[in-house]
Amino acid sequence: MSDSLERLYRAVIAARNLDPATSRTAKLFQRGPSKMARKLAEEAIEVVIDAVSGKQDAVVRESADLLYNLTVLWAAAGIRPQDVWDEMDRRERAQGIAEKLPKQKAAIKTGPAGIPAPRRRVLARPAATR
């Protein structure tokens, strides 16, 4: 599997400077990380919906789209697939392959008098504005 993602990553890198009118990858790079992140989230939601609905074939197709969009986001962020494999190896050594390491709790930002600062609301954009 990692060979396939390595090939995909190299293809994404090669396509990022092509004509955005003819290359979906170049178009995503032109639109920037925010659009890339939205596309990744959209594909993840589609995988979840299809999985919950029991649509195995759709889960496979949408998962391929998810991996493509994840690879595009990695490339834009300067992350190589090997960086992810290294992290997976580190986690496996620490906890075993099937376990995810617990994350340290982030410090809660506080305002005056030690009252927790309000968190920023995250709103999804309507599909028509994407």
Side-chain angles (χ1 to χ4, degrees):
M1 176 177 92
S2 63
D3 289 344
S4 295
L5 286 174
E6 291 286 345
R7 285 193 310 276
L8 176 59
Y9 180 79
R10 287 192 304 268
V12 164
I13 294 296
R16 68 181 163 189
N17 294 318
L18 295 176
D19 181 1
T22 59
S23 169
R24 177 181 173 172
T25 302
K27 191 175 195 175
L28 284 169
F29 272 92
Q30 182 184 50
R31 291 184 173 177
S34 178
K35 177 64 174 179
M36 292 173 188
R38 284 195 306 273
K39 288 300 292 178
L40 180 65
E42 175 185 313
E43 297 302 340
I45 290 167
E46 290 173 2
V47 169
V48 170
I49 290 169
D50 290 333
V52 169
S53 301
K55 299 177 182 174
Q56 239 179 347
D57 290 344
V59 170
V60 170
R61 287 190 306 274
E62 295 301 338
S63 293
D65 290 346
L66 179 65
L67 290 172
Y68 162 77
N69 283 286
L70 178 60
T71 304
V72 169
L73 196 63
W74 284 349
I79 297 168
R80 299 169 300 122
Q82 188 60 51
D83 300 330
V84 178
W85 310 151
D86 291 346
E87 174 61 13
M88 291 176 72
D89 288 343
R90 185 190 69 76
R91 289 180 183 198
E92 181 178 2
R93 286 189 308 276
Q95 293 288 106
I97 191 71
E99 296 298 324
K100 181 179 177 208
L101 293 173
K103 295 186 182 200
Q104 294 179 355
K105 289 186 178 182
I108 298 174
K109 294 180 182 176
T110 59
I115 298 171
R119 296 185 73 185
R120 201 177 82 201
R121 287 183 60 193
V122 177
L123 302 175
R125 285 182 140 170
T129 62
R130 290 186 197 151

